[in-house]
Amino acid sequence: MTNQNVVAPNDVKLLNFNTIFVMATSISNSNSKLQSNSAVQEPLVMFGGLLSLTQRNVRKRLEGNKVHNWVDSIRASSPTRAKSTLQASENQDKFSWNLYHPSALDMFDQIISNSKGKQIVTFLDYDGTLSPIVADPEKAYMTSKMKGTLKEIARHFPTAIVTGRCRDKVYNFVRLAEVYYAGSHGMDIKGPQQNRSPKKGNDGKAVLFQPASQFLPMINEVYKILQEITKSVPGAMVENNKFCLSVHFRCVDEKSWAPLAEKVKLVLNEYPKLKLTQGRKVLEIRPTIKWDKGKAIEFLLHSLGYDNSDNVFPIYIGDDRTDEDAFKVLRSRGQGIGILVSRFPKETDASYTLEDPSQVEKFLRRLVEWKRSITVTRTSV
């Protein structure tokens, strides 16, 4: 059959004839086949009403497909592969991946060599980097060993924690006054009272930057709505991170992931100034402003006086998809390194890897020991 164009009533946009017929017959659940052009004239007479219904159904299907594809992506980014018949092939994949993203512990000497003569600045994610991932986000505590090492790192290097969490909440976990805190994916930044940078323009005041302040009423409104609609999903938890929201589903049955994502998406359809992204078994809701962890580290480097400097070596360590924005910034600047915390191969812009927070602690401890050693050497000369 040849294709032709049909104009539906109410000046509806032109659609391919076969497309319209398939849509119309799908709605009427008819299994009859197209015999001739006249055979479909009757359905098309009433197509003005059918088309709007069809368009809504198509949009609904497309949204449903997006949600399911999204859930598949979340599942892939949060692997649970302790033991598997695919272990051999996974090991091979990991071997190949590590050729391009070697262990930061194994490559420590090379990293230090590349930083020679430059000021190291450390940027650290919190969950999954400084603390293990836990079922209850309210109990994501660092080990005492990690806290001690972090304190030493902050003593020797300008250090910032860049997290999706609320800044005040992370400060309560860490409680180190000498650290910079960038909460809500960098939309809430505050630093130490005493700025140690030798660069000009620093007045010793705490850095305070909140580029999404105008979104606070909207965020709080959506928070209340999400709390209500997720009550019917066992294990779901909504966390208010001040300038963004997190819908955690780590404790949600996998069969309920897609329905939960659909509920959240329906709410956000009414708030076009908010966007939905994903992390490790978490849905992130943020303002649509052009701000992320990458922008945050650029702002912090500027605040430290290293905006256009060649004498800085930023090290960013993170485990989540949102940390990729920071890795990309370091690559584009051609400065420092990104380190991804992951046991499994993932697409990343990081240069190196560490497997878990315990390895992060070992890497940071080696940085401290190296700094102490060169300080002693310079003192004795």
Side-chain angles (χ1 to χ4, degrees):
M1 172 188 295
T2 57
N3 293 335
Q4 54 181 302
N5 292 322
V6 177
V7 180
N10 302 321
D11 295 322
V12 176
K13 185 178 181 180
L14 288 179
L15 294 174
N16 177 275
F17 179 82
N18 283 340
T19 302
I20 290 179
F21 179 70
V22 170
M23 291 159 67
T25 53
S26 174
I27 293 174
S28 63
N29 294 318
S30 171
N31 293 320
S32 61
K33 295 182 179 179
L34 181 60
Q35 300 296 329
S36 66
N37 291 346
S38 61
V40 295
Q41 293 305 309
E42 184 175 333
L44 290 177
V45 169
M46 53 180 287
F47 207 71
L50 285 175
L51 188 58
S52 60
L53 175 62
T54 300
Q55 288 174 327
R56 289 197 298 271
N57 285 346
V58 170
R59 282 198 298 268
K60 187 174 180 180
R61 290 176 186 173
L62 289 174
E63 290 293 338
N65 287 337
K66 287 181 181 178
V67 169
H68 284 283
N69 290 338
W70 201 11
V71 170
D72 288 340
S73 178
I74 292 171
R75 190 179 292 113
S77 68
S78 306
T80 53
R81 323 176 192 175
K83 291 184 179 180
S84 170
T85 55
L86 300 177
Q87 187 172 2
S89 61
E90 288 175 355
N91 287 341
Q92 180 60 43
D93 290 342
K94 187 172 183 180
F95 175 78
S96 302
W97 185 64
N98 282 340
L99 290 177
Y100 295 96
H101 308 285
S103 166
L105 286 171
D106 294 341
M107 304 300 291
F108 184 82
D109 291 340
Q110 179 179 317
I111 292 170
I112 291 302
S113 177
N114 291 339
S115 71
K116 187 175 181 180
K118 300 177 182 179
Q119 172 65 60
I120 291 176
V121 180
T122 54
F123 297 100
L124 308 164
D125 181 30
Y126 187 77
D127 295 274
T129 300
L130 294 178
S131 75
I133 296 292
V134 293
D136 184 353
E138 300 296 325
K139 297 179 179 178
Y141 305 115
M142 291 185 294
T143 64
S144 56
K145 190 176 183 180
M146 177 66 87
K147 188 168 185 177
T149 298
L150 180 59
K151 187 172 183 177
E152 290 296 313
I153 279 288
R155 181 178 298 171
H156 293 291
F157 311 101
T159 299
I161 295 175
V162 187
T163 174
R165 294 279 204 130
C166 172
R167 174 172 58 80
D168 290 339
K169 186 175 292 185
V170 171
Y171 177 80
N172 287 333
F173 281 138
V174 178
R175 291 196 172 277
L176 293 176
E178 56 268 45
V179 171
Y180 291 80
Y181 295 88
S184 303
H185 298 283
M187 287 181 281
D188 188 10
I189 300 176
K190 192 172 184 179
Q193 292 294 332
Q194 298 298 321
N195 196 323
R196 296 167 298 173
S197 170
K199 302 294 181 179
K200 295 180 179 180
N202 295 311
D203 56 10
K205 294 182 180 179
V207 175
L208 184 60
F209 186 63
Q210 296 176 333
S213 297
Q214 70 271 27
F215 289 91
L216 272 178
M218 186 183 299
I219 291 288
N220 291 329
E221 182 178 320
V222 173
Y223 173 60
K224 292 176 182 177
I225 296 172
L226 290 177
Q227 275 189 310
E228 190 63 32
I229 67 136
T230 56
K231 285 181 179 179
S232 61
V233 184
M237 175 183 174
V238 185
E239 184 179 14
N240 190 336
N241 294 311
K242 193 169 183 177
F243 294 103
C244 62
L245 302 173
S246 298
V247 181
H248 299 276
F249 57 95
R250 184 165 297 277
C251 297
V252 174
D253 188 286
E254 190 169 332
K255 293 179 181 178
S256 298
W257 288 6
L260 175 61
E262 287 172 353
K263 287 176 180 287
V264 175
K265 185 69 169 62
L266 283 173
V267 171
L268 290 193
N269 283 343
E270 304 301 318
Y271 296 89
K273 292 185 179 180
L274 298 179
K275 64 181 178 181
L276 190 61
T277 59
Q278 68 181 71
R280 291 179 63 180
K281 294 185 179 176
V282 62
L283 300 175
E284 303 276 9
I285 295 148
R286 291 187 269 170
T288 53
I289 63 172
K290 293 182 179 180
W291 197 264
D292 51 39
K293 290 184 176 182
K295 296 288 186 183
I297 66 172
E298 287 183 319
F299 174 83
L300 286 165
L301 286 171
H302 172 76
S303 300
L304 287 164
Y306 293 111
D307 192 22
N308 297 308
S309 174
D310 293 327
N311 297 319
V312 63
F313 192 84
I315 297 176
Y316 188 101
I317 308 178
D319 74 308
D320 207 320
R321 182 168 299 189
T322 57
D323 298 307
E324 291 297 326
D325 295 317
F327 297 150
K328 289 175 184 176
V329 164
L330 294 186
R331 277 197 178 274
S332 65
R333 289 173 66 100
Q335 290 181 314
I337 57 168
I339 302 175
L340 175 69
V341 183
S342 177
R343 292 179 181 274
F344 307 105
K346 293 180 182 179
E347 184 177 348
T348 181
D349 278 293
S351 302
Y352 301 95
T353 60
L354 293 167
E355 289 195 351
D356 51 37
S358 68
Q359 286 200 353
V360 173
E361 191 279 329
K362 289 178 182 177
F363 178 83
L364 296 177
R365 173 56 57 183
R366 288 188 68 178
L367 270 180
V368 170
E369 292 170 352
W370 166 77
K371 184 65 174 181
R372 284 177 177 169
S373 69
I374 64 171
T375 301
V376 169
T377 301
R378 287 172 181 171
T379 303
S380 60
V381 172

